[in-house]
Amino acid sequence: MSATLLAALLATSPAHAFDATTHVPIVSSAAAPDDGGGVASTTSASQESRLRYEVSFRFRRMQIPQEIMDAFFTRDLPSNDGWPLRDTGAYCTDNPGRGTCGSDRPSLEGFAYGLELLIKARRGGAVIWFDYADANMVGGYWDDGDQEGPNNTNDPFDGDYIRPGRDLGLVMFGVDYQFELPAVKLEKTKGIFGLDFIVGTGIGLGIMVGELDQWAAVDGAPFGYADSAFDLFDRGVPPDADKQVNRFWPVVDLNLGFKLNFADRVSLRLEGGLHTMLYYGATLGFRF
């Protein structure tokens, strides 16, 4: 009877290994159930925390809005009766057919092409980037709106005429921090598609390359269009020299957008923000 009872207990008890000296059961971790904090969750956490790398190609359209530039330079506005290149102004009326007549202050804009490397752990990561911004700028008249005329009024004729060279651009490089907030997780779509909201910030350095030709008003000639910078340009007078501007510029990044993730291998990021200039653009990345 006792032998039968012992056999039944052994048959219904889980199998354990025993320490030969203490006779205490040894529980294998492989036999422990996955309750969210066991072996399975530890493996998942280690996979999530390991570094991932993503190489991306990016394109951005950059610009400084004219409304911001209005704080530093004048332009042809209804409120600015003194814009000297207006078709109905004295200069264009007295000199019909001049090339600068009817032109406004140029806009500051361009297209940036670049590469970046994302080193990611969990939802955050560092972005090492390199850009070349090709200036999409035309020649034009720049008057700084200073107060030098009679009765402390602006002299609209003492500005500079600036013409960019064909090779004018900005080489930029830097480091950003990027954080991804999941909206649609890959596991919810069987690893096919994911969607993240992204936010980032960073710093860098921009180096201006290329030349800017400058025409400046003849000394003593301002407050009259004769021998002004645009008059010299229209008459074919050679430029005075290269415009002396700062060659090094800080780059400040503030990025906001969303990221489409395809099979955890290819991503498409659509974003906008501040890249020293205001920008919007897209980035195509490959993850490994």
Side-chain angles (χ1 to χ4, degrees):
M1 180 67 178
S2 60
T4 303
L5 180 58
L6 179 60
L9 289 174
L10 290 175
T12 57
S13 300
H16 296 292
F18 287 85
D19 188 291
T21 58
T22 62
H23 302 285
V24 176
I26 301 174
V27 180
S28 172
S29 61
D34 178 16
D35 59 356
V39 175
S41 62
T42 303
T43 303
S44 176
S46 64
Q47 290 178 346
E48 185 178 345
S49 62
R50 70 184 176 90
L51 293 180
R52 299 289 301 274
Y53 300 90
E54 189 171 315
V55 176
S56 302
F57 305 90
R58 66 190 197 179
F59 167 81
R60 295 176 170 185
R61 186 180 187 277
M62 302 165 49
Q63 62 179 340
I64 298 180
Q66 293 281 41
E67 291 75 13
I68 295 178
M69 296 303 300
D70 288 346
F72 307 96
F73 300 95
T74 62
R75 62 172 168 139
D76 188 7
L77 293 172
S79 59
N80 180 18
D81 294 332
W83 181 251
L85 297 177
R86 193 171 293 172
D87 285 328
T88 56
Y91 176 74
C92 295
T93 302
D94 295 343
N95 301 277
R98 290 285 179 94
T100 59
C101 284
S103 62
D104 199 356
R105 183 189 69 211
S107 59
L108 292 178
E109 59 182 39
F111 299 96
Y113 314 89
L115 292 170
E116 65 178 47
L117 172 65
L118 170 63
I119 305 174
K120 179 182 174 184
R122 296 185 181 273
R123 288 291 169 181
V127 180
I128 303 171
W129 54 266
F130 171 87
D131 281 344
Y132 175 74
D134 186 15
N136 184 27
M137 178 182 168
V138 299
Y141 182 60
W142 295 84
D143 178 34
D144 59 4
D146 51 11
Q147 305 292 316
E148 295 182 356
N151 301 319
N152 200 35
T153 58
N154 173 47
D155 182 352
F157 303 105
D158 67 344
D160 294 337
Y161 193 91
I162 305 296
R163 182 180 65 185
R166 291 184 178 180
D167 56 349
L168 182 66
L170 194 64
V171 175
M172 298 180 287
F173 55 90
V175 178
D176 289 0
Y177 174 77
Q178 178 176 293
F179 181 78
E180 301 175 3
L181 182 65
V184 178
K185 295 184 178 181
L186 275 170
E187 53 266 30
K188 298 297 184 180
T189 61
K190 298 182 180 180
I192 299 175
F193 172 79
L195 175 65
D196 296 334
F197 290 107
I198 59 172
V199 61
T201 185
I203 57 174
L205 177 66
I207 305 172
M208 196 187 82
V209 296
E211 303 298 336
L212 290 168
D213 293 332
Q214 175 189 20
W215 286 259
V218 175
D219 289 341
F223 227 81
Y225 64 73
D227 292 330
S228 64
F230 54 83
D231 181 45
L232 297 175
F233 175 81
D234 278 336
R235 290 195 279 120
V237 175
D240 300 316
D242 293 335
K243 176 67 175 176
Q244 298 302 308
V245 297
N246 185 17
R247 291 282 175 174
F248 299 92
W249 297 87
V251 178
V252 178
D253 279 354
L254 293 173
N255 311 312
L256 184 66
F258 57 91
K259 183 176 184 179
L260 308 174
N261 188 355
F262 303 98
D264 203 27
R265 284 294 179 267
V266 179
S267 66
L268 176 63
R269 198 168 76 236
L270 304 175
E271 61 186 339
L274 182 67
H275 191 49
T276 291
M277 300 182 183
L278 296 179
Y279 84 92
Y280 62 86
T283 300
L284 181 64
F286 302 91
R287 182 175 298 170
F288 57 93

